[in-house]
Amino acid sequence: MRLGVRHPGLKFVALTANTHAGKPMASVFPHLAMAGLPDLVANEDVNFSDIDVVFCGLPHGTSQKLVADIAQENSSLRVIDMGADFRFRNAEDYGPVYGADHVAPHLQEKAAYGLTEHNRDAIRDAQIIACPGCYPTATLLALLPLVKSGAISTDDMIIDAKSGVTGAGRAPKQNTLLAEAGESLTPYGVGVHRHAPEIEQEIGLAAGKKVAVNFTPHLIPMSRGELITAHVKLDGAKNADEARKILADAYEGEPFIRVAEKGVIPSTGHVRGSNYCVINVFDDRISGRVIVIAAIDNLVKGSAGQAIQNFNVAFGYPEATAIEALPLFP
Amino acid sequence: MRLGVRHPGLKFVALTANTHAGKPMASVFPHLAMAGLPDLVANEDVNFSDIDVVFCGLPHGTSQKLVADIAQENSSLRVIDMGADFRFRNAEDYGPVYGADHVAPHLQEKAAYGLTEHNRDAIRDAQIIACPGCYPTATLLALLPLVKSGAISTDDMIIDAKSGVTGAGRAPKQNTLLAEAGESLTPYGVGVHRHAPEIEQEIGLAAGKKVAVNFTPHLIPMSRGELITAHVKLDGAKNADEARKILADAYEGEPFIRVAEKGVIPSTGHVRGSNYCVINVFDDRISGRVIVIAAIDNLVKGSAGQAIQNFNVAFGYPEATAIEALPLFP
Amino acid sequence: MRLGVRHPGLKFVALTANTHAGKPMASVFPHLAMAGLPDLVANEDVNFSDIDVVFCGLPHGTSQKLVADIAQENSSLRVIDMGADFRFRNAEDYGPVYGADHVAPHLQEKAAYGLTEHNRDAIRDAQIIACPGCYPTATLLALLPLVKSGAISTDDMIIDAKSGVTGAGRAPKQNTLLAEAGESLTPYGVGVHRHAPEIEQEIGLAAGKKVAVNFTPHLIPMSRGELITAHVKLDGAKNADEARKILADAYEGEPFIRVAEKGVIPSTGHVRGSNYCVINVFDDRISGRVIVIAAIDNLVKGSAGQAIQNFNVAFGYPEATAIEALPLFP
Amino acid sequence: MRLGVRHPGLKFVALTANTHAGKPMASVFPHLAMAGLPDLVANEDVNFSDIDVVFCGLPHGTSQKLVADIAQENSSLRVIDMGADFRFRNAEDYGPVYGADHVAPHLQEKAAYGLTEHNRDAIRDAQIIACPGCYPTATLLALLPLVKSGAISTDDMIIDAKSGVTGAGRAPKQNTLLAEAGESLTPYGVGVHRHAPEIEQEIGLAAGKKVAVNFTPHLIPMSRGELITAHVKLDGAKNADEARKILADAYEGEPFIRVAEKGVIPSTGHVRGSNYCVINVFDDRISGRVIVIAAIDNLVKGSAGQAIQNFNVAFGYPEATAIEALPLFP
C-alpha cells in the first residue's frame, strides 16, 4: 500500500482483510492514516468484475482458492501473488512442500515465476505472476547468472541466509517478540525450510539438472533486511573477479541490481526500504571456491517492491514507477 | 540527497565535504551508489555563481562563515540551512548558547525561521531559511497553536523529549555505539540542551512574553525518530478534547501534520522515513493539565524533509514535491 | 529462577505453570536447561504443606485466589508476590483499579508492601510480601526520601517513565513484536496506567495527604530496563544539590541504591541484569523545580531481584545473597 | 572485572589503562561504580613483584611486549592473556597474520592454548595462558571432537560466523555506531579474517594435517553473542545423530558445554551473559553433509569468562567459581 498509493497507474478500489473487515486502514496500519485509502472489506464484498489487477499476500493455500474463484468471476483479471501458491512450475511439486494438494492446478500453467530480471517475457503476458519468496529472490539474483554461464558448480551449494523478523509476518508469535528476537541470533528451519525447494527448482532449471542445496536461514535482530552468503565451488570461472564480471555483465542496465566494485561488502542497511539488490563476490581461503553475497530488503525487493515491479512490466509502465526511492539510511 | 535526487526541480551540481573531498559519494554513503551523484569536492572548489540554492548541514559556527562568503560571491543565491547558525532571530542570542559570537549578524535579518507550517510567508521570500532543530520542530508543531490561542499556559511547561541516536550525528562517539546506546536508555543534556532557548524563543514570540521551559532529552536505542511528551497546564481550553480541536483546526489542510483521533497515541514508528508529524492530546490525572505528544522522524521532518519542504515553498513547487513518501513501517 | 537457583537457602521443590504443566523447564525457557530444575506441574499437584515460601508471578486476580487457598492448606507458609494483588494497603482500593473486587481482603492485613529499602521492618515479619510494580519501585526509590523530608512538593509531580518491552510480559502481542516495537518509541496508558494509583498511595502515605500524580509511561525499543524522569517542584530543598544530599543520606549503606555524583546521568545500561538502582537530581531551567532520574532493571530490582531481596530480609539471609551480581554491560 | 570482583580467590591490586590512567573505574565503566575497585593506573606504576597473576586484554602486539617486561620483573608471575599475541603455537606463524614479528618468541613455549575443555593439562601448569579468540572458541568447541574422532572430513569446511558488535571493541568506529550497525547486517573480513588461521591451526593439529577453512564472519545488530554455523562433510559419522552423540560423549560432565537434544536450535539469547556454550548438529539437504551450530557469549565464554575458567584451572579453584551465573534472558 505504501508504495502503491504513490503509483500513477494504480487506484485501490478495494482492500480486503478477513479479521479486520469493516475497519479503517489506519486502525490496522496507523502509518497509512494519511494515505486516503478505502476501509477494509471481506473478500466476498468485492466486485471483482470491475477490477484489473489483484495483489495477493495470503497464507499458503488461500491464494489458490481465492484466485480460482475470482478467475471465474472475471477471466481477464490478472493476479500478482506475493504468496507461495503459484511458485512451483509443476503443480505436483506444491503438495510435498506445503502439506496439501494444489487446489487450482489448471491455473498453474497461466502463472509466470515473478523473478523480474530473469523472467520478464513471461511476466509481461501471464495472468498470474507468482512473485518469488524473499530468500529465493536474493539467492537467485546472486546465483542464476553464475549457474547459467557455467561459472560455478551446482554441487555442494551452501546458502547461509539471514533475515530480519518481518520475514515471519505480523502475527504475534513468541519468537519474534522484541524481548526474544532482540539482542539474539537464532537459526531456524535448519535443513527443512520451504524456500529450499523453490531455490532448487530455479537453479535446477538454469543448470538443466536436478540439484540439492543447503539452505540455512537465521533470524536476525532487526525488522527488515535479508542477506544471503552463498558458499559455492567455481567451475567455469577462475576466481571471484571473473564471477563478478559475469554478474556485472548479466545485470548491465538493470535499474535495481547493483553488482558492487571489488571489495565492497553488501549490507542490508544499504538497501533498506528500497527495491535494490546489491551483490558481490569474494575469493575464499579454500581454493576453487567463492563467496557470493547479496542483500535486499525482504519487504521490498523480496516482496511488495518486486510485486509492483512486475505490475509495471505486466501493464506497460516504466519499470521503476513508484519504487524508485533510494534506500533509507540509516 | 536521498530525497533531493528524486526532486524534479533540483539538480545537484556540487557536493561538498571537507574530510571526504575527492571521494565518490558511494564511498561515504554506500546507499547512494545508485543515485548518479557527482563526486565530493571542497567548498573552495565550487563555483557558487552558477548555483541557485545551497543546502547546508554544518556544525554550528561554520554555516555563518560559509554563507557570508558565498553571499559575497553570489548575492542572489539562497541558502537553506539545517544547522543552528541562523535560528536565533536576534543575532545576540546566538553567542550565549553556542559559546561564540555570531560572525554574520548582518545576514541574520535576511533569515526566516523555517518552521514551514508557522512561517510560510517569511520563508517564501527569505534569502536564508534557518530550519529549526529537530526537537524544536516537534515541540513547536505540538504547542504553538495552543499557545497562540491561549489554550494552555506558558508557565511550567515540561517537555520530556526522546530521540534516536542519529540526532547526535554520524561522527563516531562512544555513547552512540550500538554496544553503548543499544538496549539502553539515557537522558542527556539535562537542563542544558541548546534546543531549549530555541524553543523558548518561539513559544515566547507566540505568547508575547519571555518564557522558560523544562526541556529534557533522552537518547533512545533506535536510529531515527523523535517524540516529545509535553506536560502542560490548561488555560483557555478546558480539557484535552478542546485542545485537540484547536490543533486540528489550526492544521486543517496541512499536508504533513496529522492531529490524530482521540485516544490514538503517536509513535515514531508511524512516521519513520517520512515528513509527517502526528500529534495528539491527552487528559492528565492531575486536573487542569494535559499531555501533548508529537512524533516525527528527526532526519526528515526534523531536518532534511523540512528543508526540502521549505525549498518547495521558497521556489514555488507544490509543497509535497519529493517528500510525499508514506512512512516506512515497520 | 535464574537468580534463585544460585541461592544457598533456596531449594525449588515445585514449579507451577498452567499451560505448560508437564513440560521440562528447558522447553519453556531454554536458557534454564542447565539449571537442574524439576519439571513444571499444575498448582493442584503441589503439596503446599511441605513448602516454606512461595514466589508468585501471576496475572492480577489470580494470586489472591491461590494465596487464599494455600494459606488454608499451610498457614505458616509465606508468600512473596510479584503480582499486583496485594499492593494496595486498603483492599477496597484494589477493585476500582483492577476492575474486580479483592477476593481475599482478610489476607490483605497480613501483607507488607515490599519496597525493601523503605519497609524492612514490616517485610521481616509479614506473611505476604507484596513486591511493588516496576514503575513504582523506581519512582518511589527516587522520590520517597524527598517527600518524607519535605524537600519537594507533592503538587504537580510529573513522572515521565520509560520501560523496555519486558514490562508487558512474554505473551505474544502485536505491539511488542520486534518489528513493531523495535526502532520505535510509543507512549502507552497515558493518563490511565495502573501503576499511578500505587505510586499515589505510597507518596500520599509519606506526605500524609492525598496526592495525584502525572504518570506517563513509554515503550522503549529494548528488552530490559526502566528509567523514570520525575519533574518536581522544590519545597524544603533549595536546589538539586540539596535534594541529592538528602537522597544520599537516606540511602547511606544501602547495598543496592547508588545516588550518583553531581552531573552523572543514570542509564538503564548501567544497571542491566542487576538489582541496583541509580538515582540523581538535576536543576531545571524553570526555577524552583528539579529533575529526579532513577534507573533500574525492571526484571530485577523491579521484580525478581527485589523479590529475592525481600526473601533475604524475611528469612534472615544477608540481603545481597544471590543478587550480588554486578550489572551486565554492555 | 564484573566477574572477577565476585571471585573469592581474586583481589584486584592494580588496574591499568593507558589513556585513562588516573581515573576512577566508574568514570570509564559506570556500571562498575559499585564494585569498590582501585583507580586506574599506568602500567609503569604497577609493582608486578607483588602480583600472582595478570589478566591482559590488549591490542595485538602489546601483550608480547608487556609480558616480556613483567616476566623479567617477576618470573613466577602468571599471565592470562585474552589478546591474540600468544595464540599461535609456533611463534613464526604470528607475523604473517598480524603483520609484525613476534617480539617474545622465547615466551611462546611457556604458553598454553587456553581452550579449557580441550587443553586443561597444559593450562594447569603454563606460565602464559593464551585464551582463544571468540570465533575460534565457538568453532573449536563445535568441531574438535568431530575432527578428532574422524566423524567429519576436514575438506571443504565452511564456517559461517555471526557476532554482535562488541567483537569490535569499545573504540568509537563508524561501522559499530547504533545508526550504522543497528537494523543492519553486514559481512566483514570475508576471506581474510585473522581468526581463520587460528582455527586452522587447531583443526589441523587435531586432524594431524594442514587444513584450510572458509571462515566468513558477519556483524549482527546486537551487542553480545556469537554463533557459528559450520557446514561440514561427514566422514566416519553417518548422520547428525551420530555426530551429536560423539559431541555429547566428548563433553559429558563438562560444566559449561551443553550438547542440546535433537532438534533444539542453539541461540545466542540462551547463553547471554554466561559462560555456557550450546551446540547441536543437524542433517543437511545435501546428503553426506551436516550443519553444526554453536552459540556463546563472545564476551564471556569467548573472552573474560573463559579467562576466569582458565584461572580456576591454573590456580586450583573449582572450575565454575565466579562464572556460574545462568544466562540473562531476555
Side-chain angles (χ1 to χ4, degrees):
Chain A
M1 303 303 325
R2 176 180 73 87
L3 299 167
V5 292
R6 296 294 186 244
H7 194 297
L10 279 173
K11 185 179 161 205
F12 291 95
V13 295
L15 303 175
T16 72
N18 281 351
T19 52
H20 293 300
K23 294 187 192 165
M25 197 61 166
S27 75
V28 180
F29 285 116
H31 70 295
L32 296 178
M34 312 74 154
L37 291 163
D39 285 356
L40 294 158
V41 296
N43 281 323
E44 52 268 29
D45 294 330
V46 177
N47 180 357
F48 285 102
S49 61
D50 283 348
I51 288 173
D52 297 308
V53 60
V54 170
F55 289 85
C56 277
L58 293 169
H60 59 82
T62 47
S63 298
Q64 289 169 357
K65 216 168 344 185
L66 178 72
V67 173
D69 287 350
I70 62 180
Q72 287 199 308
E73 194 174 335
N74 175 355
S75 66
S76 67
L77 186 147
R78 297 175 76 179
V79 174
I80 298 179
D81 189 14
M82 290 169 276
D85 279 14
F86 295 95
R87 289 177 188 157
F88 286 107
R89 290 166 184 261
N90 182 340
E92 288 173 16
D93 291 343
Y94 177 83
V97 178
Y98 286 95
D101 283 350
H102 199 304
V103 300
H106 61 292
L107 290 174
Q108 188 60 51
E109 64 195 30
K110 303 190 172 180
Y113 189 71
L115 187 68
T116 326
E117 286 77 6
H118 289 272
N119 211 21
R120 270 193 191 93
D121 289 343
I123 291 165
R124 197 165 284 122
D125 301 317
Q127 187 177 359
I128 299 169
I129 299 166
C131 299
C134 50
Y135 284 126
T137 298
T139 304
L140 298 171
L141 288 174
L143 299 183
L144 277 189
L146 299 175
V147 170
K148 287 178 182 171
S149 67
I152 60 171
S153 163
T154 57
D155 291 343
D156 229 27
M157 300 180 113
I158 311 290
I159 301 155
D160 196 284
K162 296 93 181 169
S163 175
V165 297
T166 49
R170 202 189 188 199
K173 291 178 204 148
Q174 196 175 63
N175 74 321
T176 52
L177 292 174
L178 192 154
E180 306 275 321
E183 265 290 304
S184 195
L185 166 67
T186 315
Y188 68 101
V190 180
V192 300
H193 195 281
R194 282 161 168 162
H195 284 175
E198 185 184 337
I199 293 168
E200 290 168 350
Q201 164 183 282
E202 297 299 310
I203 300 268
L205 200 68
K209 62 177 172 183
K210 207 168 154 50
V211 302
V213 304
N214 165 317
F215 176 70
T216 311
H218 298 72
L219 194 64
I220 302 295
M222 60 188 191
S223 288
R224 293 167 162 260
E226 197 167 278
L227 185 137
I228 63 101
T229 314
H231 305 278
V232 294
K233 283 185 176 155
L234 289 166
D235 188 354
K238 278 205 306 286
N239 53 33
D241 287 346
E242 288 192 13
R244 188 184 312 107
K245 177 77 166 56
I246 288 165
L247 286 167
D249 290 349
Y251 290 125
E252 200 185 343
E254 282 294 344
F256 294 115
I257 312 294
R258 179 178 177 236
V259 180
E261 297 76 38
K262 183 174 184 160
V264 172
I265 298 183
S267 165
T268 63
H270 298 149
V271 294
R272 189 185 303 130
S274 84
N275 201 50
Y276 290 95
C277 174
V278 179
I279 310 175
N280 211 344
V281 191
F282 299 85
D283 287 309
D284 194 335
R285 284 176 74 84
I286 304 179
S287 72
R289 302 189 69 103
V290 287
I291 303 161
V292 191
I293 297 172
I296 61 170
D297 184 317
N298 57 309
L299 296 181
V300 188
K301 186 61 175 167
S303 183
Q306 184 163 238
I308 288 186
Q309 189 178 357
N310 285 332
F311 166 80
N312 289 335
V313 170
F315 286 78
Y317 290 93
E319 202 166 310
T321 308
I323 45 176
E324 69 275 67
L326 289 168
L328 186 74
F329 175 86
Chain B
M1 303 304 323
R2 176 179 73 88
L3 299 167
V5 291
R6 297 294 186 243
H7 195 298
L10 278 173
K11 186 179 161 207
F12 290 96
V13 294
L15 302 176
T16 71
N18 281 351
T19 53
H20 293 300
K23 295 188 193 167
M25 197 60 166
S27 76
V28 180
F29 284 114
H31 71 295
L32 296 178
M34 312 74 153
L37 291 163
D39 286 355
L40 295 159
V41 295
N43 281 323
E44 52 268 31
D45 294 330
V46 178
N47 179 357
F48 285 101
S49 61
D50 283 349
I51 288 173
D52 297 309
V53 61
V54 170
F55 289 85
C56 279
L58 293 168
H60 58 81
T62 47
S63 298
Q64 288 169 356
K65 219 175 329 193
L66 177 73
V67 173
D69 287 350
I70 62 181
Q72 286 199 307
E73 193 175 335
N74 175 354
S75 66
S76 69
L77 186 148
R78 298 175 75 179
V79 174
I80 298 180
D81 189 15
M82 290 169 275
D85 279 13
F86 295 95
R87 289 177 188 157
F88 287 107
R89 290 165 184 262
N90 182 340
E92 288 173 16
D93 291 343
Y94 177 83
V97 178
Y98 287 94
D101 282 350
H102 199 304
V103 300
H106 61 291
L107 291 173
Q108 189 60 52
E109 64 195 30
K110 303 191 171 181
Y113 189 71
L115 187 68
T116 326
E117 287 76 7
H118 290 272
N119 211 21
R120 271 193 193 92
D121 288 343
I123 290 165
R124 197 164 286 122
D125 301 317
Q127 187 177 0
I128 299 170
I129 300 166
C131 299
C134 50
Y135 284 126
T137 297
T139 304
L140 298 172
L141 288 174
L143 299 183
L144 277 189
L146 300 175
V147 170
K148 286 177 182 171
S149 68
I152 60 171
S153 164
T154 56
D155 291 344
D156 228 24
M157 299 180 114
I158 311 289
I159 300 156
D160 195 284
K162 296 92 180 168
S163 174
V165 296
T166 49
R170 202 188 188 200
K173 291 178 205 150
Q174 196 174 66
N175 74 320
T176 52
L177 292 175
L178 191 154
E180 307 274 320
E183 264 291 303
S184 195
L185 165 67
T186 315
Y188 66 102
V190 181
V192 299
H193 195 282
R194 283 162 168 161
H195 284 175
E198 185 184 337
I199 293 168
E200 290 168 348
Q201 165 183 281
E202 297 299 309
I203 300 269
L205 200 68
K209 62 177 172 182
K210 207 169 153 50
V211 301
V213 304
N214 164 318
F215 175 71
T216 311
H218 298 73
L219 193 64
I220 302 296
M222 60 189 191
S223 289
R224 292 169 162 259
E226 196 166 279
L227 185 137
I228 64 101
T229 313
H231 306 277
V232 295
K233 283 186 177 154
L234 290 165
D235 188 355
K238 277 206 306 286
N239 54 34
D241 288 346
E242 288 192 11
R244 188 184 312 107
K245 177 75 167 55
I246 288 165
L247 285 168
D249 291 348
Y251 290 124
E252 201 185 343
E254 282 293 346
F256 294 116
I257 313 293
R258 179 176 177 238
V259 179
E261 297 76 39
K262 182 174 185 161
V264 172
I265 298 183
S267 166
T268 63
H270 298 149
V271 294
R272 188 184 305 131
S274 83
N275 200 51
Y276 290 94
C277 174
V278 178
I279 311 175
N280 211 344
V281 190
F282 300 84
D283 286 309
D284 195 334
R285 285 176 73 86
I286 305 178
S287 71
R289 302 189 68 103
V290 288
I291 303 160
V292 191
I293 297 172
I296 61 169
D297 184 317
N298 57 309
L299 296 183
V300 188
K301 187 61 174 165
S303 182
Q306 184 163 240
I308 288 187
Q309 189 178 359
N310 285 331
F311 166 80
N312 289 336
V313 170
F315 285 80
Y317 289 93
E319 202 166 310
T321 307
I323 46 176
E324 68 276 67
L326 289 168
L328 185 74
F329 175 87
Chain C
M1 303 302 324
R2 176 179 73 87
L3 299 168
V5 292
R6 297 293 187 243
H7 194 299
L10 279 172
K11 187 180 159 203
F12 290 95
V13 295
L15 302 176
T16 73
N18 280 351
T19 52
H20 293 300
K23 293 187 193 165
M25 196 62 166
S27 75
V28 181
F29 285 115
H31 71 294
L32 295 178
M34 311 75 153
L37 291 164
D39 285 356
L40 294 159
V41 295
N43 281 322
E44 51 269 29
D45 294 329
V46 177
N47 179 357
F48 286 101
S49 62
D50 283 349
I51 288 172
D52 297 309
V53 62
V54 170
F55 289 86
C56 279
L58 294 169
H60 58 83
T62 47
S63 297
Q64 289 169 358
K65 212 165 352 182
L66 178 73
V67 173
D69 287 351
I70 61 181
Q72 285 199 309
E73 193 175 336
N74 175 356
S75 66
S76 69
L77 186 146
R78 298 174 77 177
V79 174
I80 298 179
D81 189 15
M82 288 168 278
D85 280 13
F86 295 96
R87 289 177 188 158
F88 287 108
R89 292 166 184 260
N90 183 340
E92 288 173 16
D93 292 342
Y94 176 84
V97 178
Y98 287 94
D101 283 350
H102 199 304
V103 300
H106 60 290
L107 291 174
Q108 189 60 51
E109 65 195 28
K110 302 190 173 179
Y113 189 71
L115 187 68
T116 326
E117 287 76 6
H118 288 272
N119 211 20
R120 270 193 192 93
D121 288 345
I123 290 165
R124 197 165 283 120
D125 301 317
Q127 189 179 356
I128 299 169
I129 300 165
C131 300
C134 51
Y135 284 126
T137 298
T139 305
L140 297 171
L141 288 174
L143 299 183
L144 277 189
L146 300 174
V147 170
K148 286 178 183 172
S149 67
I152 59 172
S153 164
T154 57
D155 291 344
D156 229 24
M157 299 179 114
I158 311 289
I159 300 156
D160 195 284
K162 294 94 180 169
S163 175
V165 297
T166 49
R170 201 188 188 200
K173 290 178 206 150
Q174 196 176 64
N175 74 322
T176 52
L177 292 175
L178 191 154
E180 306 275 322
E183 265 292 304
S184 195
L185 165 67
T186 316
Y188 66 103
V190 181
V192 300
H193 195 282
R194 281 162 168 161
H195 284 175
E198 186 185 336
I199 293 168
E200 291 169 347
Q201 165 182 279
E202 297 299 310
I203 301 268
L205 200 68
K209 62 177 171 183
K210 208 167 155 50
V211 301
V213 304
N214 165 317
F215 175 71
T216 310
H218 298 72
L219 194 63
I220 302 295
M222 61 187 191
S223 289
R224 293 168 162 258
E226 198 168 276
L227 184 136
I228 63 102
T229 314
H231 305 277
V232 295
K233 283 185 176 154
L234 289 166
D235 188 356
K238 277 205 305 285
N239 53 34
D241 288 346
E242 287 192 14
R244 187 184 312 108
K245 176 75 165 59
I246 288 165
L247 285 168
D249 289 349
Y251 290 124
E252 200 185 345
E254 281 295 342
F256 293 114
I257 312 294
R258 178 175 177 239
V259 180
E261 297 77 37
K262 183 174 185 160
V264 172
I265 298 184
S267 165
T268 63
H270 298 148
V271 295
R272 187 185 304 131
S274 84
N275 200 51
Y276 290 94
C277 174
V278 178
I279 310 174
N280 211 344
V281 190
F282 299 84
D283 286 310
D284 195 335
R285 283 176 74 85
I286 305 179
S287 72
R289 302 189 68 104
V290 287
I291 303 160
V292 191
I293 296 172
I296 62 169
D297 183 317
N298 57 310
L299 296 182
V300 187
K301 186 60 175 169
S303 182
Q306 184 162 240
I308 288 187
Q309 188 179 359
N310 285 332
F311 167 80
N312 289 335
V313 170
F315 285 80
Y317 289 93
E319 204 165 309
T321 307
I323 44 175
E324 68 276 67
L326 289 168
L328 186 74
F329 176 87
Chain D
M1 303 301 325
R2 176 180 74 87
L3 299 167
V5 293
R6 297 294 187 242
H7 194 298
L10 279 172
K11 187 181 162 204
F12 290 95
V13 294
L15 302 176
T16 71
N18 280 352
T19 52
H20 293 301
K23 294 187 191 166
M25 197 61 165
S27 75
V28 180
F29 284 115
H31 71 295
L32 296 177
M34 313 74 154
L37 291 164
D39 285 356
L40 294 159
V41 295
N43 281 322
E44 52 267 31
D45 295 329
V46 178
N47 178 356
F48 285 101
S49 62
D50 282 349
I51 287 173
D52 297 308
V53 61
V54 170
F55 289 86
C56 278
L58 293 169
H60 58 82
T62 47
S63 297
Q64 289 169 357
K65 214 168 345 186
L66 178 73
V67 173
D69 287 350
I70 62 181
Q72 286 199 308
E73 192 175 338
N74 176 355
S75 66
S76 68
L77 186 148
R78 297 175 76 179
V79 174
I80 298 179
D81 189 14
M82 289 169 277
D85 280 13
F86 295 96
R87 289 178 188 157
F88 287 108
R89 289 166 185 260
N90 182 339
E92 288 173 15
D93 291 343
Y94 177 83
V97 178
Y98 287 95
D101 283 349
H102 198 306
V103 300
H106 62 292
L107 290 174
Q108 189 60 51
E109 65 194 28
K110 301 191 172 178
Y113 189 70
L115 186 69
T116 326
E117 286 77 6
H118 289 272
N119 211 20
R120 271 193 191 93
D121 288 344
I123 291 165
R124 198 166 282 122
D125 301 317
Q127 188 178 356
I128 299 169
I129 300 166
C131 299
C134 50
Y135 284 125
T137 297
T139 304
L140 298 172
L141 288 174
L143 298 183
L144 277 189
L146 299 175
V147 170
K148 286 178 182 171
S149 67
I152 60 172
S153 164
T154 56
D155 291 343
D156 230 23
M157 300 179 112
I158 311 290
I159 300 156
D160 196 284
K162 295 93 180 169
S163 175
V165 296
T166 49
R170 201 187 189 201
K173 291 178 205 148
Q174 197 176 62
N175 74 322
T176 52
L177 292 175
L178 192 154
E180 306 274 321
E183 265 291 304
S184 194
L185 166 66
T186 316
Y188 66 102
V190 181
V192 300
H193 195 283
R194 282 161 169 163
H195 283 174
E198 186 185 336
I199 292 169
E200 290 169 349
Q201 164 182 281
E202 297 298 309
I203 300 268
L205 200 67
K209 62 177 172 184
K210 208 168 155 50
V211 302
V213 303
N214 164 317
F215 175 71
T216 311
H218 298 72
L219 193 65
I220 302 296
M222 61 187 191
S223 289
R224 292 168 164 259
E226 196 168 277
L227 185 137
I228 64 101
T229 313
H231 306 278
V232 294
K233 282 185 176 155
L234 288 167
D235 188 356
K238 276 205 304 287
N239 53 33
D241 287 346
E242 287 192 14
R244 188 184 310 107
K245 176 78 165 56
I246 287 165
L247 285 168
D249 290 349
Y251 290 124
E252 201 186 342
E254 282 294 343
F256 293 115
I257 312 294
R258 179 177 176 238
V259 180
E261 298 76 37
K262 183 173 184 161
V264 172
I265 298 184
S267 166
T268 63
H270 298 150
V271 295
R272 188 184 304 132
S274 83
N275 201 51
Y276 290 94
C277 174
V278 179
I279 310 175
N280 211 345
V281 190
F282 299 84
D283 286 310
D284 195 335
R285 283 176 75 84
I286 305 178
S287 72
R289 302 189 69 103
V290 288
I291 303 161
V292 191
I293 297 173
I296 62 170
D297 183 317
N298 57 309
L299 296 182
V300 188
K301 187 60 175 168
S303 182
Q306 184 163 240
I308 289 187
Q309 188 178 358
N310 285 332
F311 166 79
N312 289 334
V313 169
F315 285 80
Y317 289 93
E319 202 166 309
T321 308
I323 45 176
E324 69 275 68
L326 288 167
L328 185 75
F329 176 87

